[in-house]
């Protein structure tokens, strides 16, 4: 058993899986390679929900050569009937003798049972190769399948001094074209995009994906406690071609406004209230019921602060432009009273920083407290 070879092939399987980024939800991205004596015999990756799984595609490509070979796969093979038959049966039937996986599948229908089925059939099994990388690749799937709620990524564009607009409200454009293009890709990787009514009233955004041949239409969600969204806004005018949901607080919808939005193809959710605004946890539960596994939060300081207070942000992405805006009235990504002490302030870990055009892209994850 060559551990270096195992790691190299799993790394290639992860690269294969990533080719379907943004296309498989609510399923995970999975890549598979069949190899014998260090030679690749078949490859495959899961293209989209309902399509054949990566293992099956690799087996088809390898054909009879799969007999006695090793299967490298980025996620534990399934062992249950869903839209497709169990991959474990296909693996055993192909005569594969050894299976190396990056990480177990958190789905309760699998969760170790897939590897157990392979071992019971006499196959050699190894797991945990590049596990951290595999879990990071499917971070949205892992949270969604375990909690039933979406993985929330906050995106904020700001100046180096932490301003998302000037004191007069001018915010177009703080970051450069390369950053804005990357944000479009982030939208394709998520199932829904969320903004607050303040952003709608200030910018009248479309929240669509502006990329060539972009087939995905992320769900557009607006947190609007009192249903103030203008009927002439571009979000309303482009529904239902581009699906849109307005989340309001129960009992705070103006008479007739909900019906007018429904007539224009906009869904309206009336949700419980928390601190005078739409309850974040209730909203996330509803989005989970809609099979939203990944949610991109593109809010202003009010909505961002609500999510921060609710500890509902799973990932932070800041685009920092090389400019200084200044001004005590210029807003930052977060508002409110803030933390009373540094000890209570959320800390980020696993920080990564890279250049995107002239901007800096900083990515981090909330640090888990010992008692969390």
């Amino acid at each position: 058993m060559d551990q270096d070879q195992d790691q190299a092939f799993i790394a290639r399987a992860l690269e294969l899986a990533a080719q379907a980024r943004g296309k498989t939800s609510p399923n995970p991205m999975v890549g598979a390679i069949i190899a014998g004596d260090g030679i690749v015999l078949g490859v495959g990756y899961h293209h989209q929900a309902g399509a054949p799984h990566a293992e099956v595609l690799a087996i088809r490509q390898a054909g009879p050569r799969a007999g006695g070979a090793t299967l490298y796969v980025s996620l534990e093979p399934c062992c249950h009937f869903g839209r497709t038959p169990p991959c474990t049966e296909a693996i055993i039937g192909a005569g594969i003798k050894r299976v190396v996986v990056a990480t177990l599948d958190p789905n309760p229908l699998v969760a170790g049972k897939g590897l157990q089925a392979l071992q019971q059939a006499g196959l050699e099994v190894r797991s945990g190769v590049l596990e951290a990388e595999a879990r990071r690749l499917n971070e949205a799937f892992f949270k969604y399948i375990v909690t039933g709620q979406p993985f929330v990524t906050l995106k904020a564009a700001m100046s180096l001094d932490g301003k998302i607009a000037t004191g007069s409200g001018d915010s177009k454009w703080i970051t450069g074209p390369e950053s804005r293009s990357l944000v479009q890709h982030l939208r394709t990787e998520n199932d829904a995009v969320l903004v607050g009514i303040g952003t709608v009233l200030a910018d009248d955004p479309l929240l669509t994906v502006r990329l060539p041949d972009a087939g995905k239409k992320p769900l557009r969600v607006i947190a609007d406690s009192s249903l103030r969204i203008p009927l002439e806004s571009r979000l309303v005018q482009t529904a239902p071609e581009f699906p849109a949901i307005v989340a309001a607080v129960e009992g705070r919808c103006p008479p007739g406004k909900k019906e007018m939005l429904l007539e224009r193809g906009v869904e309206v959710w009336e949700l419980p209230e928390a601190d005078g605004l739409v309850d974040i946890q209730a909203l996330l539960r509803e989005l989970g019921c809609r099979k939203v596994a990944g949610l991109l939060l593109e809010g202003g300081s009010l909505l961002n602060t609500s999510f921060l207070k609710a500890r509902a942000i799973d990932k932070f992405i800041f685009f920092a432009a090389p400019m200084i805006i200044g001004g005590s009235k210029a807003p930052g990504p977060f508002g409110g009273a803030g933390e009373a002490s540094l000890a209570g302030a959320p800390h980020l870990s696993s920080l990564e920083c890279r250049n995107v055009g002239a901007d800096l892209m900083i990515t981090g994850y909330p640090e888990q407290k010992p008692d969390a």
Side-chain angles (χ1 to χ4, degrees):
M1 180 177 65
D2 189 332
Q3 294 190 1
D4 290 339
Q5 180 172 280
D6 285 354
Q7 185 166 312
F9 276 123
I10 286 293
R12 292 176 65 180
L14 289 170
E15 291 174 357
L16 281 169
Q19 292 184 37
R21 192 181 295 276
K23 299 176 182 177
T24 62
S25 184
N27 287 0
M29 294 172 276
V30 183
I33 296 173
I34 295 174
D37 297 322
I39 300 172
V40 175
L41 306 173
V43 301
Y45 68 92
H46 184 47
H47 289 251
Q48 62 185 34
H53 288 190
E55 302 94 317
V56 172
L57 293 175
I59 289 169
R60 287 178 184 173
Q61 190 175 104
R65 297 178 298 170
T70 298
L71 168 68
Y72 299 90
V73 61
S74 60
L75 188 70
E76 178 185 9
C78 66
C79 54
H80 64 287
F81 281 90
R83 294 188 188 181
T84 58
C87 287
T88 50
E89 291 186 3
I91 294 167
I92 295 167
I96 289 170
K97 294 302 181 184
R98 182 168 179 258
V99 176
V100 180
V101 304
T103 185
L104 298 181
D105 187 336
N107 188 334
L109 295 174
V110 188
K113 300 182 186 72
L115 295 189
Q116 185 179 15
L118 296 175
Q119 288 175 316
Q120 290 175 346
L123 279 71
E124 180 186 347
V125 171
R126 183 186 179 200
S127 64
V129 180
L130 299 182
E131 182 171 11
E133 292 85 345
R135 292 178 66 90
R136 182 62 54 84
L137 176 68
N138 279 307
E139 56 193 3
F141 168 76
F142 270 74
K143 181 186 178 185
Y144 172 75
I145 203 68
V146 171
T147 69
Q149 294 188 14
F151 182 93
V152 179
T153 300
L154 177 140
K155 183 277 299 181
M158 62 186 187
S159 60
L160 280 181
D161 59 333
K163 307 295 185 180
I164 61 173
T166 66
S168 65
D170 184 14
S171 62
K172 291 187 177 180
W173 297 102
I174 289 179
T175 52
E178 295 87 353
S179 293
R180 299 199 297 274
S181 175
L182 201 155
V183 170
Q184 296 299 311
H185 287 280
L186 287 176
R187 289 181 181 177
T188 67
E189 295 170 14
N190 285 272
D191 303 307
V193 179
L194 172 65
V195 299
I197 185 58
T199 297
V200 175
L201 296 176
D203 300 334
D204 192 21
L206 270 173
L207 302 182
T208 54
V209 177
R210 297 184 294 277
L211 291 173
D213 304 319
K216 188 169 184 177
K217 297 180 180 179
L219 187 62
R220 303 175 301 168
V221 186
I222 305 94
D224 182 8
S225 301
S226 302
L227 217 59
R228 293 188 290 151
I229 186 168
L231 297 178
E232 63 274 14
S233 67
R234 297 200 294 170
L235 283 162
V236 174
Q237 292 297 316
T238 51
E241 179 185 1
F242 296 94
I245 294 173
V246 179
V249 170
E250 292 171 328
R252 285 173 51 180
C253 298
K257 185 67 172 289
K258 178 178 179 179
E259 290 70 25
M260 287 187 282
L261 288 169
L262 293 174
E263 288 173 359
R264 289 162 174 79
V266 177
E267 287 188 59
V268 178
W269 291 353
E270 295 190 67
L271 301 175
E273 177 182 334
D275 298 325
L277 303 172
V278 171
D279 182 86
I280 299 301
Q281 295 300 332
L283 176 58
L284 291 176
R285 286 192 295 270
E286 289 297 323
L287 289 170
C289 290
R290 285 289 295 267
K291 296 188 177 181
V292 172
L295 174 66
L296 183 62
L297 175 59
E298 296 192 45
S301 61
L302 182 62
L303 186 61
N304 290 347
T305 301
S306 295
F307 270 80
L308 189 69
K309 287 176 63 178
R311 296 294 191 263
I313 302 171
D314 299 296
K315 183 178 183 177
F316 295 80
I317 300 179
F318 297 102
F319 292 92
M323 69 170 69
I324 306 295
I325 292 177
S328 59
K329 294 184 179 180
F334 304 98
E339 297 292 340
S341 68
L342 293 179
H347 284 67
L348 303 187
S349 61
S350 303
L351 288 178
E352 295 181 2
C353 182
R354 68 183 177 95
N355 291 97
V356 179
D359 306 324
L360 289 177
M361 177 182 172
I362 304 167
T363 303
Y365 296 82
E367 205 170 72
Q368 297 297 320
K369 295 186 182 296
D371 59 347

